[in-house]
């Protein structure tokens, strides 16, 4: 079992300290032991170049603490929760702490992906060590000042005390602390003594957000900057043949029009002119008649499911024997469409390619890799590329891809002007990197009331479930088990979308379990608990989840959600899933209004290890669950001759408030290392909803979005 | 091109823009008030919501040149020295996730509560339904509107 493993990292020289010219102590650290022996941190905060450290703690003479975090916010709350961990071990009152966004040095930043929910898992040990080391340094300084042994002193709430009852504030000893050696072997707090972790803190950027301060990439402005609106091939696979720029050029504010590859950029002094200019371009694209359509994908995916040449991803026991000896065999095929990410803030990025450097600013989750790709693209030394991250108006996987950064860099490289590329919603939805359309076929054998065999096949566009997913539940719980995958190579670009693969796989499997439960006449929750009894944690090291943690999570959800105890018009559905190292179980309550399902409530149980910030954690789970329900219900995206059939919210339906259930979240209490929260709430939601609809109406939903197949739907639901 | 004056957050600006330039882009690009966001440009998401003469209005479709004489309020001017009760409620309940849609949500909520200071759950859901939040912070938005109503009464 991997879940409880400590993430190991070396503490060797990951912290350096320095006195500040203005008074105070500066502690530079690197989450990921990337700093070298000879590193000397900058002495002046204004000169921080983040060369060797990617994060800093400044403790001022008044005892106030500023944490400069390189990790930008994507909406998952890490900009708040990571500093909370430092402040806890440093032992300062949370209201004495402020958090600033540090610039990012891409060259030395070791972790390639920033801002995602996994960062808390990777940072947990290093952040605690950093806080505890800083505290010990202050204690040592105070002890030296008093001439007593440091072991007789204690520190709490920003105050150091000795056994004579004397006190010093952290601020009183910062200048002395800056001269001392960095202590080794510090002791970490016991979780029972936590004062900040687990107590719920408000997002550190809250005031800026609610008063409309510039925070996002789209808000970034630079002297002389032009706005670029880019015309891209409307259909995937289409090529640019020619274009006429006469009309676009006549628009007020349009300054330049440049072609790069199969794209044309209109550069203007303001956004409206750039967008209008793009619309006015007369572009002649190659024919799209023979390009891909969703109907073709459908056939290709079926062919994969029927083929004998799939890639084997996991095999336990003898599946053929299990099927040959079965009393009963169940088989279902599940289907989901492509999905765009639709971050509320459309893609955008600023680039200024000049003689001496390449300056990039905007919302991106993969700064280091993207900076390297830019250097390659425009033939520059990677050392010259400086990338600054901004807050991101949503990510959901989309901002892992730097396609829009490359566009900005290329346009700026051609024009030698500072340029901000901005996507319209149509650009964003139409030039996406989509969740791939996927089909699953699942087959189970049943003998004497037990599930004896389980065979899952995945057919997906472009690529398949990543490495460890075949080891998720029910791997290990069913003796004869097999997972196979295959894909169809498409011109349509696909990639990670919130909880990649599991976002739909969980629906397929969790709906299927409900049917198995019906077939063997067992309560669906009991079926899962019984299957988990077959798994001994730790016995098979490849198994990714913990049977114990999953069992506890399922029981908590069933209890808090009053599983099986509803009456009247309320129907329930259940699902449980492990992903991103977190175990989640959900009970969905629905009612029927003239046969139309009204999703009333979702009760969620989560085991994500220790909960750093319950306020933020619940926000993540609420968002993930509603996102999962929204896309399972309404998310529909298809292609015709290479062209996306929806480009804006007029026809593409996102869930809105009236369709939203109340989400009630409960955490399994433990002291284990914290795990991801941004994704794992989503995967079980669609399955739990489908199971609730089945309980209410008997209808078995095999395709997303449900809205297209829900019977008796009223006109107001048929979009 | 049009020359006109625009009153935003109590201040008068002289603007030169195309006749059809939507208020959203005049605010963001000309006046440098970037709190109002672009989400769809077709009136379907609500991230661009501002108040025109006190009423929540989508700024992405509304030509600014037609607004001479109107009082425009953006998120930056909703309240100056302190937080508006709606903003307070948003803070207390830690509503935002990515935060991008929230200015529009707050502008819709504050205008709604002026018209209906004592809304029930159904009315809140109806009033806020057309403001999309891709992060799905809907539960908290709903609670925050109710809390703001309480604060204002
Ligand atoms: S940007 Fe105006 S409603 Fe979406
Ligand atoms: S908070 Fe991200 S879109 Fe609403």
């Amino acid at each position: 079992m991997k879940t409880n493993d400590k993430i190991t990292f070396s503490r060797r020289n990951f912290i350096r300290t320095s006195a500040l010219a203005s008074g105070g102590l500066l502690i530079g650290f690197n989450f990921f032991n990337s700093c070298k022996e000879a590193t000397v941190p900058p002495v002046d905060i204004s000169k921080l170049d983040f060369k060797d450290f990617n994060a800093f703690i400044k403790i001022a003479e008044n005892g106030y603490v500023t944490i400069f975090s390189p990790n930008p916010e994507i909406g998952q709350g890490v900009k708040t929760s990571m500093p909370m961990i430092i402040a806890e071990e440093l032992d300062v009152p949370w209201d004495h702490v402020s958090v600033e966004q540090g610039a990012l040095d891409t060259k030395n930043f070791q972790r390639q992906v920033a801002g995602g929910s996994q960062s808390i898992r990777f940072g947990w040990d290093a952040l605690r060590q950093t806080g505890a080391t800083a505290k010990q340094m202050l204690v040592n300084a105070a002890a030296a000042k008093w001439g007593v042994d440091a072991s007789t002193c204690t520190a709490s709430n920003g105050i150091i005390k000795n056994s004579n009852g004397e006190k010093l504030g952290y601020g009183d000893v910062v200048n002395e602390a800056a001269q001392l050696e960095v202590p080794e072997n510090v002791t970490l707090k016991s979780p029972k003594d936590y004062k900040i972790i687990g107590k719920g803190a408000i997002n550190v950027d809250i005031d800026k957000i609610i008063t409309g301060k510039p925070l996002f990439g789209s808000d970034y402005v630079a002297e002389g900057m032009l706005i670029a609106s880019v015309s891209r091939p409307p259909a995937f696979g289409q090529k640019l043949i020619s274009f006429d720029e006469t009309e676009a050029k006549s628009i007020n504010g349009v300054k330049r029009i440049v072609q790069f590859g199969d794209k044309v950029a209109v550069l203007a002094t303001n956004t409206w002119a750039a967008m209008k200019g793009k619309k006015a371009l007369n572009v002649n694209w190659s024919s799209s008649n023979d390009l891909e359509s969703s109907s073709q994908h459908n056939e290709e995916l079926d062919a994969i499911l029927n083929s004998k040449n799939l890639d084997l991803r996991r095999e336990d026991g003898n599946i053929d024997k299990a099927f040959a000896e079965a009393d009963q065999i169940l088989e279902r095929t599940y289907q989901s469409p492509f999905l765009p990410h639709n971050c509320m803030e459309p893609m955008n990025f600023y680039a200024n390619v000049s003689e001496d450097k390449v300056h990039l600013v905007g919302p991106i989750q993969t700064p280091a890799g993207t900076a390297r790709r830019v250097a390659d693209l425009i033939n520059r030394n990677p050392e010259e590329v400086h990338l600054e991250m901004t807050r991101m108006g949503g990510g959901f996987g989309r901002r892992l891809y730097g396609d829009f950064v490359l566009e900005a860099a290329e346009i700026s490289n051609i024009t030698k002007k500072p340029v901000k590329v901005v996507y319209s919603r149509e650009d964003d939805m139409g030039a996406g990197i989509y969740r791939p359309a996927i089909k699953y076929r699942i087959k189970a054998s049943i003998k004497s009331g037990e599930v004896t065999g389980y065979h899952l096949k995945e057919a997906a566009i472009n690529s398949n479930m990543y490495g460890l997913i075949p080891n998720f539940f029910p791997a290990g719980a069913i003796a004869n088990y097999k997972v196979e995958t295959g894909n169809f190579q498409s011109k349509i670009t696909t990639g990670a979308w919130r909880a990649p693969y599991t976002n739909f796989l969980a629906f397929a499997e969790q709906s299927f379990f409900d049917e198995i439960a019906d077939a063997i006449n067992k309560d669906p929750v009991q079926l899962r608990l019984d299957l988990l009894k077959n798994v001994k944690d730790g016995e098979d090291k490849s198994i990714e989840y913990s049977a114990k943690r999953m069992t506890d999570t399922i029981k908590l959800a069933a209890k808090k959600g009053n599983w099986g105890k509803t009456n009247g018009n309320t129907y329930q559905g259940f699902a449980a899933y492990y992903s991103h190292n977190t175990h989640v179980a959900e009970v969905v309550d629905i009612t029927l209004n003239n046969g139309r399902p009204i999703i009333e409530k979702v009760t969620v149980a989560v085991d994500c290890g220790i909960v750093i910030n319950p306020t933020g954690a619940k926000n993540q789970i609420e968002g993930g669950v509603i996102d999962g329900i929204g896309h399972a219900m309404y998310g529909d995206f298809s292609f015709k001759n290479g062209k996306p059939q929806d480009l804006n919210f007029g026809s593409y339906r996102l869930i809105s408030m009236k369709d939203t259930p109340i989400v009630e979240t409960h955490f399994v209490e433990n002291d284990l290392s914290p795990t991801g929260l941004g994704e794992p709430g989503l995967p079980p939601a669609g399955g739990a909803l489908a199971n609730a609809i089945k309980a209410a109406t008997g209808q078995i939903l095999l395709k997303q979005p449900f809205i297209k197949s829900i019977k008796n739907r009223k006109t107001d639901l048929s979009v | 091109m049009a020359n006109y004056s625009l009153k935003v957050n109590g201040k008068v600006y002289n603007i030169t823009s195309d006749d059809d330039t939507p208020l959203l882009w005049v605010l963001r690009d000309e006046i440098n008030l970037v709190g109002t966001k672009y989400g769809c440009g077709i009136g379907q998401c609500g991230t661009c919501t501002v108040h025109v003469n006190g009423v929540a209005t989508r700024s992405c479709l509304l030509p600014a040149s037609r607004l001479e004489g109107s009082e425009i309020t953006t998120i930056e001017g909703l309240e100056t020295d302190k937080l508006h009760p709606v903003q307070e409620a948003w803070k207390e309940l830690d509503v935002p996730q990515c935060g991008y849609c929230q200015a529009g949500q707050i502008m819709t909520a504050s205008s709604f509560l002026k018209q209906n200071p004592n809304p029930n759950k159904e009315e809140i859901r109806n009033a806020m339904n057309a403001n999309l939040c891709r992060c799905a912070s809907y539960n908290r938005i709903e609670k925050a509107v109710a809390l703001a109503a309480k604060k204002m009464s």
Side-chain angles (χ1 to χ4, degrees):
Chain A
M1 184 186 68
K2 305 274 166 60
T3 320
N4 296 342
D5 285 0
K6 283 250 171 160
I7 292 123
T8 50
F9 86 113
S10 149
R11 263 189 69 236
R12 187 173 57 91
N13 291 315
F14 82 106
I15 293 178
R16 279 283 189 278
T17 64
S18 172
L20 287 168
S22 53
L25 168 66
L26 182 70
I27 301 161
F29 64 101
N30 191 305
F31 300 159
F32 310 105
N33 73 332
S34 62
C35 65
K36 296 161 213 80
E37 208 73 48
T39 299
V40 182
V43 288
D44 183 348
I45 199 98
S46 67
K47 295 208 184 80
L48 289 186
D49 62 1
F50 291 78
K51 267 277 178 284
D52 299 292
F53 300 98
N54 52 37
F56 292 83
I57 305 169
K58 188 178 94 173
I59 307 174
E61 285 173 330
N62 62 7
Y64 277 72
V65 176
T66 311
I67 297 174
F68 296 83
S69 157
N71 216 337
E73 186 57 61
I74 189 169
Q76 299 191 335
V78 291
K79 193 172 170 188
T80 305
S81 52
M82 294 178 94
M84 285 173 76
I85 301 172
I86 296 176
E88 179 68 65
E89 288 291 348
L90 180 58
D91 215 325
V92 282
W94 180 241
D95 55 9
H96 289 188
V97 178
S98 59
V99 180
E100 306 266 339
Q101 173 80 56
L104 176 78
D105 174 68
T106 43
K107 195 178 112 234
N108 292 291
F109 193 54
Q110 294 298 300
R111 188 155 143 64
Q112 301 297 305
V113 181
S117 69
Q118 292 290 69
S119 40
I120 204 87
R121 189 165 77 88
F122 292 110
W124 171 239
D125 281 338
L127 294 169
R128 283 185 303 157
Q129 292 279 357
T130 302
T133 304
K135 177 170 106 174
Q136 189 60 48
M137 223 146 47
L138 296 163
V139 169
N140 291 353
K145 213 168 179 172
W146 285 318
V148 303
D149 193 295
S151 65
T152 64
C153 305
T154 56
S156 176
N157 281 324
I159 309 275
I160 307 156
K161 291 183 194 157
N162 67 18
S163 50
N164 305 327
E166 291 171 293
K167 288 182 192 172
L168 282 169
Y170 284 3
D172 302 330
V173 294
V174 283
N175 296 323
E176 291 81 355
Q179 312 305 325
L180 299 179
E181 290 283 305
V182 175
E184 293 281 335
N185 303 323
V186 297
T187 336
L188 298 178
K189 278 185 175 178
S190 155
K192 68 175 175 13
D193 299 326
Y194 285 163
K195 289 176 281 200
I196 297 171
I197 290 175
K199 294 298 181 294
I202 304 283
N203 177 350
V204 293
D205 281 333
I206 188 77
D207 287 319
K208 291 182 189 146
I209 294 170
I210 59 177
T211 55
K213 296 284 176 311
L215 279 172
F216 298 91
S218 51
D219 302 338
Y220 184 80
V221 183
E223 189 64 34
M225 170 180 99
L226 293 175
I227 303 290
S229 182
V230 179
S231 181
R232 303 171 187 81
F236 283 82
Q238 228 171 3
K239 301 264 171 252
L240 178 107
I241 293 175
S242 62
F243 66 97
D244 178 358
E245 57 180 34
T246 328
E247 201 187 325
K249 271 218 153 136
S250 72
I251 288 167
N252 284 321
V254 169
K255 291 289 171 206
R256 272 192 77 168
I257 292 170
V258 290
Q259 183 192 342
F260 60 111
D262 285 306
K263 304 172 186 176
V264 185
V266 176
L267 279 70
T269 50
N270 63 76
T271 316
W272 182 244
M275 287 181 170
K276 253 169 81 173
K278 181 191 125 180
K279 282 198 192 119
L281 276 179
N282 242 314
V283 189
N284 185 6
W285 306 103
S286 66
S287 159
S288 62
N289 291 345
D290 297 328
L291 299 175
E292 295 166 50
S293 294
S294 292
S295 52
Q296 177 206 349
H297 291 147
N298 203 17
E299 288 164 18
E300 297 287 356
L301 295 181
D302 281 341
I304 292 170
L305 290 179
N306 294 331
S307 98
K308 297 257 173 296
N309 302 320
L310 297 177
D311 295 327
L312 180 64
R313 303 294 295 275
R314 184 180 171 107
E315 188 170 24
D316 300 328
N318 185 339
I319 195 93
D320 295 331
K321 190 157 168 274
F323 282 108
E325 291 171 357
D327 300 337
Q328 192 185 351
I329 292 175
L330 288 181
E331 183 182 299
R332 288 289 185 200
T333 303
Y334 299 90
Q335 180 180 349
S336 70
F338 287 92
L339 285 181
H341 296 86
N342 277 330
C343 300
M344 212 71 223
E345 179 193 21
M347 298 306 109
N348 63 84
F349 227 84
Y350 168 84
N352 187 9
V353 178
S354 60
E355 286 282 297
D356 57 326
K357 73 169 185 180
V358 178
H359 187 204
L360 306 168
V361 185
I364 181 82
Q365 274 178 276
T366 47
T370 301
R372 258 197 317 276
R373 285 173 66 202
V374 166
D376 280 354
L377 176 77
I378 59 173
N379 228 333
R380 295 289 290 254
N381 187 335
E383 308 263 312
E384 295 171 306
V385 181
H386 180 77
L387 189 149
E388 280 175 53
M389 293 191 280
T390 58
R391 189 180 182 90
M392 308 181 208
F396 314 108
R398 181 64 182 91
R399 292 193 223 269
L400 294 167
Y401 305 95
D403 48 325
F404 45 93
V405 189
L406 297 185
E407 286 181 350
E410 193 163 5
I411 297 166
S412 177
N413 191 39
I414 295 169
T415 58
K416 297 288 176 265
K417 292 251 185 294
V419 166
K420 184 163 75 174
V421 167
V422 297
Y423 281 48
S424 64
R425 176 57 58 194
E426 290 81 3
D427 296 338
D428 195 88
M429 226 185 274
I433 293 195
Y434 306 100
R435 175 184 85 167
I438 295 190
K439 287 194 176 196
Y440 287 107
R441 182 165 296 157
I442 318 180
K443 204 169 145 183
S445 59
I446 294 167
K447 189 165 172 65
S448 315
E450 301 288 333
V451 190
T452 54
Y454 188 89
H455 186 185
L456 179 123
K457 293 183 190 175
E458 177 187 88
I461 301 293
N462 290 339
S463 60
N464 293 106
M465 58 168 81
Y466 53 86
L468 300 173
I469 294 177
N471 306 333
F472 287 9
F473 185 81
I478 301 172
N480 305 292
Y481 174 88
K482 189 173 183 179
V483 175
E484 295 178 289
T485 60
N487 59 63
F488 169 77
Q489 290 302 307
S490 163
K491 288 199 172 69
I492 293 160
T493 44
T494 55
W497 191 99
R498 195 175 197 172
Y501 296 96
T502 60
N503 56 43
F504 181 66
L505 173 60
F507 153 72
E509 294 193 305
Q510 293 295 315
S511 309
F512 192 68
F513 283 129
D514 242 51
E515 287 203 70
I516 294 179
D518 290 349
I520 61 179
N521 219 346
K522 217 181 231 184
D523 172 77
V525 171
Q526 197 55 47
L527 170 72
R528 288 166 175 91
L529 293 173
D530 288 349
L531 283 170
L532 285 164
K533 285 183 194 144
N534 300 335
V535 188
K536 302 272 166 297
D537 281 346
E539 207 172 86
D540 176 349
K541 295 264 181 281
S542 72
I543 296 298
E544 269 292 303
Y545 58 95
S546 155
K548 174 172 186 314
R549 295 177 77 171
M550 187 56 103
T551 301
D552 291 348
T553 310
I554 289 174
K555 285 182 177 164
L556 182 64
K559 182 170 157 229
K560 297 288 185 185
N562 291 316
W563 174 254
K565 297 202 191 91
T566 53
N567 42 32
N569 188 25
T570 302
Y571 301 89
Q572 294 186 310
F574 188 86
Y577 204 72
Y578 162 94
S579 73
H580 297 81
N581 305 89
T582 298
H583 300 78
V584 181
E586 298 174 11
V587 177
V588 167
D589 289 3
I590 66 167
T591 54
L592 292 178
N593 181 0
N594 287 325
R596 179 171 86 112
I598 311 289
I599 312 162
E600 303 281 355
K601 184 179 166 191
V602 185
T603 309
V604 193
V606 184
D607 179 351
C608 58
I610 197 161
V611 183
I612 310 293
N613 181 7
T615 309
K618 283 190 178 166
N619 214 348
Q620 289 306 303
I621 295 294
E622 287 162 16
V625 168
I626 295 172
D627 191 2
I629 284 185
H631 281 92
M633 207 58 193
Y634 311 113
D636 193 13
F637 200 72
S638 62
F639 293 85
K640 206 165 175 186
N641 296 332
K643 244 180 234 168
Q645 295 302 288
D646 297 286
L647 292 172
N648 208 328
F649 299 135
S651 58
Y652 185 88
R653 182 166 179 186
L654 281 174
I655 193 166
S656 57
M657 191 182 279
K658 273 203 262 182
D659 301 322
T660 302
I662 297 301
V663 180
E664 191 187 286
T665 308
H666 303 273
F667 294 102
V668 175
E669 281 181 36
N670 62 40
D671 294 342
L672 301 169
S673 297
T675 57
L677 277 163
E679 288 98 347
L682 186 147
L689 173 59
N691 294 338
I693 293 173
K694 177 164 82 62
T697 67
Q699 188 183 4
I700 293 163
L701 295 161
L702 300 173
K703 279 186 199 175
Q704 289 189 356
F706 301 158
I707 191 72
K708 282 172 94 173
S709 40
I710 286 176
K711 291 182 194 134
N712 306 322
R713 66 181 198 260
K714 291 275 173 206
T715 39
D716 61 325
L717 269 173
S718 55
V719 170
Chain B
M1 289 298 260
N3 280 304
Y4 51 94
S5 68
L6 212 56
K7 193 166 175 203
V8 184
N9 301 332
K11 210 170 141 192
V12 179
Y13 298 85
N14 289 314
I15 308 289
T16 308
S17 79
D18 267 4
D19 296 349
D20 60 353
T21 306
L23 174 62
L24 170 67
W25 298 115
V26 170
L27 293 171
R28 290 185 58 87
D29 290 348
E30 310 299 328
I31 310 182
N32 234 334
L33 291 171
V34 295
T36 309
K37 303 294 194 222
Y38 166 84
C40 70
I42 58 164
Q44 293 287 333
C45 75
T47 58
C48 65
T49 307
V50 297
H51 296 174
V52 176
N53 300 323
V55 179
T57 308
R58 301 197 160 182
S59 64
C60 65
L61 291 171
L62 187 64
S65 58
R66 282 199 233 138
L67 295 171
E68 226 165 3
S70 295
E71 296 269 353
I72 296 154
T73 310
T74 70
I75 185 75
E76 291 92 341
L78 181 61
E79 193 70 73
T80 33
D81 303 325
K82 53 180 174 55
L83 293 179
H84 184 278
V86 170
Q87 289 167 319
E88 277 176 17
W90 246 248
K91 181 169 178 173
E92 223 169 293
L93 297 179
D94 197 27
V95 173
Q97 290 187 34
C98 82
Y100 193 79
C101 72
Q102 300 295 346
Q105 307 278 4
I106 290 169
M107 296 312 278
T108 302
S110 51
S111 151
F112 163 63
L113 289 175
K114 229 187 291 168
Q115 292 155 16
N116 184 350
N118 209 344
N120 63 28
K121 180 181 151 108
E122 227 36 56
E123 290 165 334
I124 294 175
R125 288 193 152 220
N126 280 330
M128 301 305 295
N129 192 56
N131 278 65
L132 297 177
C133 172
R134 176 64 182 85
C135 300
S137 62
Y138 295 120
N139 275 195
R140 291 192 185 194
I141 294 170
E142 190 177 334
K143 284 187 201 142
V145 176
L147 176 63
K150 226 196 261 159
K151 283 179 184 289
M152 290 162 81
S153 70

